[in-house]
Amino acid sequence: MSARSGGARHAGPARRPPAGRVTAGAVVAAALVLGAIGVVPSEASWADRQYDAATVQSVLCTDPGSGTSTGSGTLLGGTLGSTDLSTIASVRGVSATNDGTTTTPTPSTATSLGSGAYSNPLSVSALSGIDADIGPALQLPLTADAGGLNQYARAASDTTSAGAAGAVSNSGGIAVTQRAPGAAMPRFATVGLGQVVQSALGQNLSSLVTGITDAQLGLGAVASSAQLSGCTAEWRGIYTGLVRQYALAGMDATLTSPAVSSLVTTTDAGLSALSAQLNAIAGNSALLNSLGSSILLALKPALSTLGAGTPTVTLSLTPDFSAVTALLSTPITDSSGLFSISPSAGTITLDLDALMGPAYLTSPKINGLAPNSRLLINGTALTALEAAMTSALTAWVSSVIAAVNAALAAVAVNLDLTAPVSALSVNVGTLFVHTNDLTLAQLLAGSPGVTAGIDKSSGLCSVVIVGATLCALVTTVLGNLTPALLASVGQTIGGTLQTALAPTAATVSTLGANLGTATGTLVSTVGGGLTGLFGATGAIQLWANAQNRPDPAELNAGPEPGWAAGLPAPTANPFGTGRYDVAALRMTIRGSATTGLDLARSSAGSNTVTG
C-alpha cells in the first residue's frame, strides 16, 4: 500500500487555533499585540466557530451538524476512444453527500454500510456491459471477485468524508499487496493498447512503434482511497486533514511482434530444408546402388550356393522433429521472471513492475511514488532485460540445435531391398531385406530389428528332379540369416547412411546462424518497442498516484491530470476544503487530447465548515 498524502510532511497554513477553552482577556490581548505590530486580525483567522461569543466556551466543530461533506469512489472512469465511461450506467461509481444532517448516496441503490457510508461494487453483469460497449479496448475477467471491484463513499455531518475504489474493504481500507518478482498476477483488467491507439489517433500501433503490431497492458488489482476532515483542514491546513493513498498489485505488457514469430518461421524453414535434404538423399540413385551392393556383400556368407541378381532398393528417411516443435510452443523465460516469450503465439509478456519507475528514481518502482509520477521504462532495467533475453535465447537456440541433431541421429530408416536368387540356373525366389523403421542410431548400434528372407518361387519344391534339392538350399540359406548376421547388415546400412547424411550438418549450422540473427533482432525489437510504448516520448503515458492539488511538500510531484482543472477549489467564507482526488493509475495517449483512462479514482470534498 502506498500513502502519499503529504500530511505528515506539510501541514499547510494554519487557519484556526487548537480546540480548547479560551478567556475573553486572552482574545483581547492577542488583538492588541497584533495591532501593535500592524497586523489586523482577519475574519478568516479569528471568526472562530469553535467559540461561543457570549460564553467563550469551546465547542468542537467535529460535532454533528458542523458542516457538509462529500466523498466518492469510481473504479473505472475517463474516456476510451469515443466512449465516455461515465455514460455507462452499470459501471458508474458511488458518491455520498451530507448536507449537514442527512447523507444521500448516488446511485440511490447503493448499499448502506452505516454511519453515512455506502458501497456500490461492480457486478459480473456490469463487466459484461463494459465488454459489450468497449470490446477489446478494455477487458475485465467476467469471473472477477467482487471484492476487487468495490466502490465506496462516506460523508458525515462532522465535516469528514472519504472515497475508495478497487480492492478495498467496506470500511474503505486498501487491501492490495504488490506481487513478488516473477509471481503470477491475478488479472484485474487488460487494456488493448492497439485498439485504444487506433480509436484515439486513427493509426495502427505499428506505425508508432517499430516492430510491434499489437500490445496489451495487463493490470493486477488496483486501489485508492481519499479521506478528508474539513475541521482539521481549517484548523491546521488542508494537507494535515487530507490523506490520499493508492496501490498497484502489478502490471505487465504483452507485445505481439513478427520478431517473435520469426523464431517459428526461421526454425520451420530450417526443418523444411532438412526434410527436403533427407528426401533428396533417400532418392539418390548412387546411394541406393551402393546400399544394394553393400547389403548383398554382407549377406554373401549366408547365401551359400545361391546367386543373387541385381537388387532393387527403396529408401525413406523420416525425422521426428516433435522435440523441436515442442520448444516452439514452450515459453522461453528467465530465472527472475522478467519475461516470457511464446514463439508459437508471436508474443512476449514483460513484467512491468520490474522495468518501470519515475525518472527521479534510479531503480524500478510502481508503488510509494510521489503524486502524478510518470511510469517510464528504466534504462538500467532495460539493459538488464536485454542481457537476460540474450542469455535465455542463446540457451534456447542451443536447445533447438541439440534437438535437431538428436532427431537426425534418430531418423527413421525404412529400407526395402529385393533381389532375385537362383541355383542350378533355376529362379528359386526373391531375397528381401527390411529395416522396419529402425533409427539410424539403432542400425549403427546393431540393434535387432532388421529382417531378411526368401520368398520361394511358386511350386519350387515340385520341380522335377531338382525341386527337393532347391528347397533344401533355400532352407539352408534361411538358417544362415542369424540375428548376428542381420545386426551386421544393419550396421552396414547405418554406416553408409551416416556418411550420406554428413551434408546435413551444414544445414543445421545455417539454421543455428539464422536463429542467432532472429534472436538478436527480437532483443532489439523488444527494447525499442518498450521505449516506443512507455519511454519518455512513448505512445502510452502511464501515471501512478494521479492527484489534483498535490501537497506542495512533494518535491517530485508531476503535472496534474487534465481533470484537475474542473474540480472545486477551496473557499474562504464559509471555509470549504475543495475537492481532492486520487487515481491509482491513469493512462493517456500521446497526441490525443480526449483519451484518458482512470482506474480506482477516489475523492473527498469539498467539505464545508458551517457549524
Side-chain angles (χ1 to χ4, degrees):
M1 181 176 71
S2 174
R4 301 291 303 206
S5 68
R9 300 172 56 193
H10 179 75
R15 296 183 55 85
R16 308 172 56 157
R21 183 179 299 274
V22 189
T23 66
V27 174
V28 173
L32 291 174
V33 170
L34 290 171
I37 59 175
V39 178
V40 179
S42 71
E43 182 181 17
S45 298
W46 291 101
D48 195 333
R49 298 175 186 86
Q50 195 174 177
Y51 304 96
D52 183 280
T55 63
V56 200
Q57 177 67 40
S58 172
V59 179
L60 293 175
C61 83
T62 53
D63 289 340
S66 299
T68 65
S69 62
T70 300
S72 70
T74 304
L75 182 56
L76 301 171
T79 301
L80 279 179
S82 60
T83 303
D84 182 350
L85 294 178
S86 67
T87 64
I88 303 176
S90 59
V91 296
R92 288 176 185 164
V94 62
S95 64
T97 301
N98 187 285
D99 60 4
T101 304
T102 304
T103 300
T104 303
T106 302
S108 59
T109 55
T111 301
S112 174
L113 304 173
S115 301
Y118 292 84
S119 69
N120 184 35
L122 294 188
S123 63
V124 170
S125 61
L127 301 184
S128 300
I130 277 285
D131 282 350
D133 287 310
I134 299 180
L138 178 63
Q139 297 179 342
L140 294 96
L142 297 183
T143 57
D145 179 3
L149 304 171
N150 205 3
Q151 301 179 124
Y152 169 94
R154 181 178 65 81
S157 60
D158 62 358
T159 77
T160 64
S161 65
V168 296
S169 67
N170 278 341
S171 62
I174 290 178
V176 174
T177 301
Q178 186 172 345
R179 62 171 170 166
M185 181 180 72
R187 195 165 295 272
F188 156 66
T190 300
V191 182
L193 299 179
Q195 290 82 3
V196 172
V197 167
Q198 178 67 45
S199 178
L201 303 177
Q203 295 178 261
N204 293 326
L205 186 63
S206 58
S207 66
L208 299 177
V209 185
T210 302
I212 305 299
T213 56
D214 198 7
Q216 293 183 322
L217 176 66
L219 300 169
V222 295
S224 73
S225 70
Q227 302 174 61
L228 177 61
S229 168
C231 233
T232 302
E234 189 180 15
W235 292 345
R236 300 177 182 174
I238 290 293
Y239 298 100
T240 300
L242 173 66
V243 176
R244 287 183 281 190
Q245 300 174 308
Y246 83 101
L248 301 170
M251 296 191 298
D252 61 34
T254 298
L255 312 183
T256 301
S257 172
V260 182
S261 301
S262 71
L263 299 182
V264 175
T265 55
T266 300
T267 302
D268 284 347
L271 298 183
S272 295
L274 283 169
S275 294
Q277 192 172 19
L278 291 174
N279 288 334
I281 292 171
N284 184 280
S285 58
L287 173 64
L288 297 178
N289 291 336
S290 175
L291 283 168
S293 299
S294 299
I295 292 170
L296 290 183
L297 182 62
L299 290 175
K300 186 174 183 180
L303 294 178
S304 184
T305 56
L306 295 182
T310 302
T312 298
V313 179
T314 61
L315 175 66
S316 66
L317 300 170
T318 307
D320 179 6
F321 289 131
S322 60
V324 181
T325 55
L327 289 171
L328 298 176
S329 59
T330 302
I332 306 167
T333 61
D334 69 311
S335 59
S336 60
L338 276 176
F339 62 87
S340 178
I341 302 170
S342 176
S344 59
T347 62
I348 176 172
T349 299
L350 300 126
D351 180 0
L352 294 183
D353 303 14
L355 295 171
M356 301 190 83
Y360 66 83
L361 292 180
T362 58
S363 59
K365 187 178 182 182
I366 63 172
N367 284 301
L369 302 178
N372 305 312
S373 288
R374 173 89 182 275
L375 296 179
L376 302 168
I377 289 296
N378 179 276
T380 301
L382 184 59
T383 299
L385 169 67
E386 292 175 339
M389 287 184 63
T390 299
S391 176
L393 287 168
T394 299
W396 179 81
V397 171
S398 296
S399 296
V400 169
I401 297 305
V404 169
N405 284 326
L408 292 175
V411 65
V413 178
N414 190 11
L415 179 146
D416 291 312
L417 176 146
T418 58
V421 289
S422 61
L424 303 177
S425 301
V426 177
N427 183 10
V428 299
T430 300
L431 171 70
F432 64 83
V433 177
H434 303 311
T435 57
N436 301 300
D437 283 331
L438 287 176
T439 67
L440 178 61
Q442 289 172 325
L443 291 170
L444 290 170
S447 300
V450 175
T451 57
I454 295 175
D455 291 326
K456 290 184 289 187
S457 298
S458 177
L460 175 64
C461 297
S462 302
V463 173
V464 178
I465 301 174
V466 296
T469 301
L470 294 175
C471 278
L473 289 175
V474 170
T475 300
T476 300
V477 169
L478 293 175
N480 292 337
L481 298 176
T482 63
L485 177 63
L486 295 178
S488 175
V489 171
Q491 289 176 318
T492 297
I493 296 170
T496 302
L497 290 178
Q498 188 176 46
T499 300
L501 292 174
T504 60
T507 307
V508 175
S509 179
T510 298
L511 171 59
N514 290 342
L515 283 175
T517 300
T519 56
T521 299
L522 173 55
V523 171
S524 61
T525 298
V526 169
L530 284 174
T531 302
L533 285 169
F534 305 115
T537 59
I540 310 300
Q541 300 171 320
L542 298 176
W543 309 85
N545 196 17
Q547 296 185 14
N548 67 310
R549 285 194 292 274
D551 185 347
E554 291 282 9
L555 301 180
N556 291 312
E560 296 181 43
W563 41 255
L567 299 183
T571 58
N573 189 20
F575 176 78
T577 61
R579 174 172 157 175
Y580 296 85
D581 284 38
V582 55
L585 187 69
R586 176 169 170 81
M587 185 190 79
T588 57
I589 305 298
R590 179 175 293 277
S592 172
T594 57
T595 296
L597 175 64
D598 295 300
L599 299 177
R601 180 175 167 183
S602 306
S603 75
S606 184
N607 299 349
T608 303
V609 181
T610 59

Coordinates of all heavy atoms in Angstrom, one line a residue, residues 505-556:
A505 N 24.9 -31.5 -41.7 CA 25.5 -30.7 -40.7 C 25.6 -29.2 -41.1 O 25.4 -28.3 -40.2 CB 26.9 -31.3 -40.3
A506 N 25.8 -29.0 -42.3 CA 25.9 -27.6 -42.8 C 24.5 -26.9 -42.7 O 24.4 -25.8 -42.4 CB 26.5 -27.6 -44.2
T507 N 23.5 -27.7 -43.0 CA 22.1 -27.2 -43.0 C 21.8 -26.8 -41.5 O 21.1 -25.8 -41.3 CB 21.1 -28.2 -43.5 OG1 21.6 -28.6 -44.8 CG2 19.7 -27.6 -43.6
V508 N 22.2 -27.7 -40.6 CA 21.9 -27.4 -39.2 C 22.7 -26.2 -38.7 O 22.2 -25.3 -38.0 CB 22.3 -28.6 -38.3 CG1 22.2 -28.3 -36.9 CG2 21.4 -29.8 -38.7
S509 N 23.9 -26.1 -39.2 CA 24.7 -24.9 -38.8 C 24.1 -23.6 -39.4 O 24.0 -22.6 -38.7 CB 26.1 -25.0 -39.4 OG 26.9 -23.9 -39.1
T510 N 23.5 -23.7 -40.6 CA 22.8 -22.5 -41.1 C 21.6 -22.1 -40.3 O 21.3 -20.9 -40.0 CB 22.4 -22.8 -42.6 OG1 23.6 -23.0 -43.4 CG2 21.7 -21.6 -43.2
L511 N 20.9 -23.2 -39.9 CA 19.7 -22.9 -39.0 C 20.2 -22.2 -37.7 O 19.5 -21.2 -37.3 CB 19.0 -24.2 -38.7 CG 17.9 -24.2 -37.6 CD1 16.8 -23.2 -38.0 CD2 17.4 -25.5 -37.3
G512 N 21.2 -22.7 -37.1 CA 21.7 -22.0 -35.9 C 22.1 -20.6 -36.1 O 21.8 -19.7 -35.3
A513 N 22.8 -20.3 -37.2 CA 23.1 -18.9 -37.5 C 21.9 -18.1 -37.8 O 21.8 -16.9 -37.3 CB 24.1 -18.9 -38.8
N514 N 20.9 -18.6 -38.5 CA 19.7 -17.8 -38.8 C 18.9 -17.6 -37.5 O 18.4 -16.5 -37.3 CB 18.8 -18.6 -39.8 CG 19.4 -18.6 -41.1 OD1 20.3 -17.8 -41.5 ND2 19.0 -19.5 -42.0
L515 N 18.9 -18.5 -36.6 CA 18.2 -18.3 -35.3 C 19.0 -17.3 -34.5 O 18.4 -16.5 -33.7 CB 18.1 -19.6 -34.5 CG 17.0 -20.6 -35.0 CD1 17.1 -21.9 -34.3 CD2 15.6 -19.9 -34.9
G516 N 20.3 -17.3 -34.5 CA 21.1 -16.3 -33.8 C 20.7 -14.9 -34.3 O 20.6 -13.9 -33.5
T517 N 20.6 -14.7 -35.6 CA 20.2 -13.4 -36.2 C 18.8 -13.1 -35.7 O 18.5 -11.9 -35.3 CB 20.2 -13.5 -37.7 OG1 21.6 -13.7 -38.1 CG2 19.8 -12.1 -38.3
A518 N 17.9 -14.0 -35.7 CA 16.5 -13.8 -35.4 C 16.4 -13.4 -33.9 O 15.6 -12.5 -33.5 CB 15.6 -15.0 -35.6
T519 N 17.1 -14.1 -33.0 CA 17.0 -13.7 -31.6 C 17.6 -12.3 -31.3 O 17.1 -11.6 -30.5 CB 17.7 -14.8 -30.8 OG1 19.1 -15.0 -31.2 CG2 17.0 -16.1 -30.9
G520 N 18.7 -12.0 -32.1 CA 19.3 -10.7 -31.9 C 18.3 -9.6 -32.3 O 18.1 -8.6 -31.6
T521 N 17.6 -9.8 -33.4 CA 16.6 -8.9 -33.8 C 15.4 -8.8 -32.8 O 14.9 -7.7 -32.6 CB 16.0 -9.3 -35.2 OG1 17.0 -9.4 -36.2 CG2 14.9 -8.4 -35.7
L522 N 15.1 -9.9 -32.2 CA 14.0 -9.9 -31.2 C 14.4 -9.1 -30.0 O 13.6 -8.3 -29.5 CB 13.7 -11.3 -30.8 CG 12.7 -11.5 -29.6 CD1 11.4 -10.8 -29.9 CD2 12.5 -13.0 -29.3
V523 N 15.6 -9.2 -29.5 CA 16.0 -8.5 -28.4 C 16.0 -7.0 -28.7 O 15.5 -6.2 -27.8 CB 17.5 -8.9 -27.9 CG1 18.0 -7.9 -26.9 CG2 17.5 -10.3 -27.4
S524 N 16.5 -6.6 -29.8 CA 16.5 -5.1 -30.1 C 15.1 -4.6 -30.4 O 14.7 -3.5 -30.0 CB 17.4 -4.9 -31.3 OG 16.9 -5.5 -32.5
T525 N 14.2 -5.4 -31.0 CA 12.8 -5.0 -31.2 C 12.1 -4.8 -29.9 O 11.3 -3.8 -29.8 CB 12.1 -6.1 -32.1 OG1 12.8 -6.2 -33.3 CG2 10.7 -5.7 -32.3
V526 N 12.3 -5.7 -29.0 CA 11.6 -5.6 -27.7 C 12.1 -4.3 -26.9 O 11.3 -3.6 -26.4 CB 11.8 -6.8 -26.8 CG1 11.3 -6.6 -25.4 CG2 11.0 -8.0 -27.4
G527 N 13.4 -4.1 -26.9 CA 13.9 -2.9 -26.3 C 13.4 -1.7 -26.9 O 12.9 -0.7 -26.2
G528 N 13.4 -1.6 -28.2 CA 12.9 -0.4 -28.9 C 11.4 -0.3 -28.7 O 10.8 0.8 -28.6
G529 N 10.7 -1.5 -28.7 CA 9.2 -1.4 -28.5 C 8.8 -0.9 -27.2 O 7.9 -0.1 -27.1
L530 N 9.5 -1.4 -26.1 CA 9.2 -0.9 -24.8 C 9.4 0.6 -24.7 O 8.7 1.4 -24.1 CB 10.0 -1.6 -23.8 CG 9.6 -3.0 -23.4 CD1 10.6 -3.7 -22.5 CD2 8.2 -3.0 -22.8
T531 N 10.5 1.1 -25.3 CA 10.8 2.5 -25.3 C 9.8 3.3 -26.1 O 9.3 4.4 -25.7 CB 12.2 2.8 -25.9 OG1 13.2 2.0 -25.1 CG2 12.6 4.2 -25.8
G532 N 9.4 2.7 -27.2 CA 8.4 3.4 -28.1 C 7.0 3.5 -27.4 O 6.2 4.4 -27.6
L533 N 6.7 2.5 -26.6 CA 5.4 2.4 -25.9 C 5.5 3.2 -24.6 O 4.6 4.1 -24.3 CB 5.1 1.0 -25.6 CG 4.5 0.1 -26.7 CD1 4.5 -1.3 -26.3 CD2 3.2 0.6 -27.2
F534 N 6.5 3.0 -23.8 CA 6.5 3.5 -22.4 C 7.7 4.4 -22.1 O 7.9 4.7 -20.9 CB 6.5 2.4 -21.4 CG 5.3 1.4 -21.6 CD1 5.6 0.1 -22.0 CD2 4.0 1.8 -21.5 CE1 4.6 -0.8 -22.2 CE2 3.0 0.9 -21.7 CZ 3.2 -0.4 -22.0
G535 N 8.5 4.8 -23.1 CA 9.6 5.7 -22.9 C 9.1 7.1 -22.7 O 7.9 7.5 -22.7
A536 N 10.1 8.0 -22.5 CA 9.7 9.5 -22.2 C 8.9 10.1 -23.3 O 8.0 10.9 -23.1 CB 11.0 10.2 -22.0
T537 N 9.1 9.7 -24.6 CA 8.3 10.2 -25.7 C 7.4 9.0 -26.3 O 7.0 9.1 -27.4 CB 9.2 10.7 -26.8 OG1 10.1 9.7 -27.3 CG2 10.0 11.9 -26.3
G538 N 7.1 8.0 -25.5 CA 6.4 6.9 -25.9 C 4.9 7.2 -26.1 O 4.4 8.2 -25.7
A539 N 4.2 6.3 -26.9 CA 2.8 6.5 -27.2 C 1.9 6.4 -26.0 O 0.9 7.0 -26.0 CB 2.5 5.5 -28.3
I540 N 2.3 5.5 -25.1 CA 1.4 5.2 -23.9 C 2.0 5.9 -22.7 O 3.1 5.7 -22.4 CB 1.3 3.7 -23.6 CG1 0.9 3.0 -24.9 CG2 0.3 3.5 -22.6 CD1 -0.4 3.4 -25.6
Q541 N 1.2 6.8 -22.1 CA 1.6 7.5 -20.9 C 0.9 7.0 -19.7 O -0.4 7.1 -19.6 CB 1.3 9.0 -21.1 CG 2.1 9.6 -22.3 CD 1.6 11.0 -22.6 OE1 0.5 11.4 -22.5 NE2 2.6 11.9 -23.0
L542 N 1.6 6.4 -18.7 CA 1.1 5.9 -17.5 C 1.5 6.7 -16.3 O 2.7 7.1 -16.2 CB 1.6 4.4 -17.3 CG 1.2 3.4 -18.4 CD1 1.8 2.1 -18.1 CD2 -0.3 3.3 -18.5
W543 N 0.5 7.1 -15.5 CA 0.7 7.9 -14.4 C 0.2 7.2 -13.1 O -0.9 6.9 -13.0 CB 0.0 9.3 -14.5 CG 0.2 10.0 -15.8 CD1 -0.4 9.7 -17.0 CD2 1.2 11.0 -16.1 NE1 0.1 10.5 -18.0 CE2 1.1 11.3 -17.5 CE3 2.2 11.6 -15.3 CZ2 1.9 12.3 -18.1 CZ3 3.0 12.6 -15.9 CH2 2.8 12.9 -17.3
A544 N 1.1 7.0 -12.2 CA 0.7 6.5 -10.9 C 0.4 7.6 -9.9 O 1.0 8.6 -9.9 CB 1.8 5.6 -10.3
N545 N -0.6 7.3 -9.0 CA -0.9 8.2 -7.9 C -1.3 9.6 -8.5 O -0.9 10.6 -8.1 CB 0.3 8.4 -7.0 CG -0.1 9.0 -5.7 OD1 -1.3 9.1 -5.3 ND2 0.9 9.5 -4.9
A546 N -2.3 9.5 -9.5 CA -2.7 10.8 -10.1 C -3.5 11.6 -9.1 O -4.5 11.1 -8.6 CB -3.6 10.5 -11.4
Q547 N -3.1 12.9 -8.9 CA -3.8 13.7 -7.9 C -3.9 15.1 -8.5 O -3.1 15.6 -9.3 CB -3.0 13.8 -6.6 CG -2.8 12.5 -5.9 CD -2.1 12.8 -4.5 OE1 -1.9 13.9 -4.1 NE2 -1.6 11.7 -3.9
N548 N -5.0 15.8 -8.0 CA -5.1 17.2 -8.2 C -4.5 17.9 -6.9 O -4.6 17.3 -5.9 CB -6.5 17.7 -8.4 CG -7.4 17.4 -7.2 OD1 -7.4 16.3 -6.6 ND2 -8.2 18.4 -6.8
R549 N -4.1 19.1 -7.1 CA -3.5 19.9 -6.0 C -2.7 19.0 -5.0 O -3.0 18.9 -3.8 CB -4.7 20.6 -5.2 CG -5.2 21.8 -6.0 CD -6.1 22.6 -5.1 NE -7.3 22.0 -4.7 CZ -8.4 21.9 -5.4 NH1 -8.5 22.6 -6.6 NH2 -9.5 21.3 -5.0
P550 N -1.6 18.4 -5.5 CA -0.8 17.6 -4.6 C -0.1 18.5 -3.5 O 0.0 19.7 -3.7 CB 0.3 17.0 -5.5 CG 0.4 17.9 -6.6 CD -1.0 18.5 -6.8
D551 N 0.2 17.9 -2.4 CA 0.9 18.6 -1.3 C 2.2 19.3 -1.9 O 3.0 18.7 -2.5 CB 1.3 17.6 -0.3 CG 1.9 18.2 1.0 OD1 2.3 19.4 0.9 OD2 2.1 17.5 2.0
P552 N 2.3 20.6 -1.7 CA 3.5 21.4 -2.2 C 4.8 20.8 -1.6 O 5.8 21.0 -2.2 CB 3.2 22.8 -1.7 CG 1.8 22.9 -1.5 CD 1.3 21.6 -1.1
A553 N 4.7 20.0 -0.5 CA 5.9 19.5 0.0 C 6.4 18.3 -0.8 O 7.6 17.8 -0.6 CB 5.7 19.0 1.5
E554 N 5.6 17.8 -1.7 CA 6.0 16.7 -2.6 C 6.9 17.3 -3.7 O 6.3 17.7 -4.8 CB 4.8 16.0 -3.1 CG 4.0 15.2 -2.1 CD 4.7 13.9 -1.8 OE1 5.8 13.6 -2.2 OE2 4.0 13.1 -1.1
L555 N 8.2 17.3 -3.5 CA 9.1 18.0 -4.5 C 9.1 17.2 -5.8 O 9.5 17.8 -6.8 CB 10.5 18.1 -3.9 CG 10.6 18.8 -2.6 CD1 12.0 18.9 -2.1 CD2 10.0 20.3 -2.7
N556 N 8.8 15.9 -5.8 CA 8.8 15.2 -7.1 C 7.5 15.0 -7.8 O 7.4 14.2 -8.7 CB 9.4 13.8 -6.8 CG 10.9 13.9 -6.4 OD1 11.7 14.5 -7.1 ND2 11.3 13.2 -5.3

